[in-house]
Amino acid sequence: MKNNQYFIIGITGGIGSGKTTAAIFFEEFGIPVYNSDKRAKIIQNENIDVKNKIIELLGENSYNKNGLNKVYVSKEVFNDKSKLIELNRIVHPAVFNDFEEWKNKQTSKIIMKEAAILIESGSYKTCDVVISVIADLEKRMGRTVDRDSLSEEEVLKRINNQISDDERIAKSDYIIYNNGNLQDLKKEVEKTLLKIKKEYNF
Ligand code: ATP
C-alpha cells in the first residue's frame, strides 16, 4: 500500500462520464468519498491565503459578491497558459492538504478520491488503484447538456480541452463503462469494488 494506513481508490472520468454518480454509489457501498472538485471550489471561496493569491495573480475581478467569479477566472486562464499553471500552483497544494486532513479523520481503511483531473494533476500517483469511468461521447454530451443547460458546442469544447479516454485508460487499473441506466452503473460499481477487495485481500 502506498499510504500506510489507507488504501486510496482514485476515480476519474471525462465531463459527463458519470464519475460523481459512480462515486456516490461507492459511498452507498461503504467507501467514504472525497470530491476534489467540490472541495476545490469551497477552498477558493473560503481559504483566505488562497483567495489573496488568486487576487494577486488575476486581479480583484476574480471575486464578486457571490464568491469566486468563475466566468472571469476561466476566461483569464483559458487565454493564458502560464496563468493557468500559476493558478494550479495555488489551488492544487491547498486541495492536497485538505485531502490529507480529511483522510486522517477517516475510520474506513478503503477511501476514495474523486477528481476530474486526477491524471493531469499527477494526483493518481498517490492512489493505490485508479478507476476511470468511460461513456460514449453522445451519452456524455446528452447528460451534460441536460444537467448544465449548455449547448452541444460548449460541451464539445470542454471535452476537447480534457485528456482523451485512451490516455485515461492507459493510466487506469479498472474501467467502469457507463452506457446503460443508473441501475447498470450501480451493478458495475459493486462488481468493481468486489474485484478490488478480492485482489487486495480486504
Ligand atoms: P462532470 O465532470 O461534468 O462533473 P461527471 O463525470 O461527474 O461530470 P455526473 O455528474 O456523475 O458526471 O453525471 C452527469 C449527469 O448524467 C448527471 O445528471 C447524472 O445524474 C447523469 N447520469 C450519469 N450516469 C447516468 C446513467 N447511467 N443514466 C442516466 N443518467 C446518468
Side-chain angles (χ1 to χ4, degrees), residues 13-19 135-159 162:
I15 181 168
S17 61
K19 63 188 163 302
D136 292 345
L137 190 64
E138 87 230 33
K139 298 257 179 199
R140 294 170 60 190
M141 297 266 283
R143 288 169 188 159
T144 314
V145 166
D146 287 349
R147 190 195 54 185
D148 299 341
S149 321
L150 291 170
S151 69
E152 287 200 354
E153 202 188 354
E154 282 168 311
V155 177
L156 203 57
K157 219 156 95 187
R158 288 173 196 208
I159 288 177
Q162 299 186 322

Side-chain angles (χ1 to χ4, degrees), residues 65-78:
K65 62 178 184 352
N66 300 319
L68 187 75
N69 184 347
K70 254 192 84 180
V71 176
Y72 170 80
V73 169
S74 308
K75 214 171 75 205
E76 286 295 295
V77 299
F78 197 73

Side-chain angles (χ1 to χ4, degrees), residues 14-21 114 143 147 178 180-182 185:
I15 181 168
S17 61
K19 63 188 163 302
T20 303
T21 312
E114 180 203 337
R143 288 169 188 159
R147 190 195 54 185
N178 182 23
N181 60 27
L182 291 170
L185 177 60

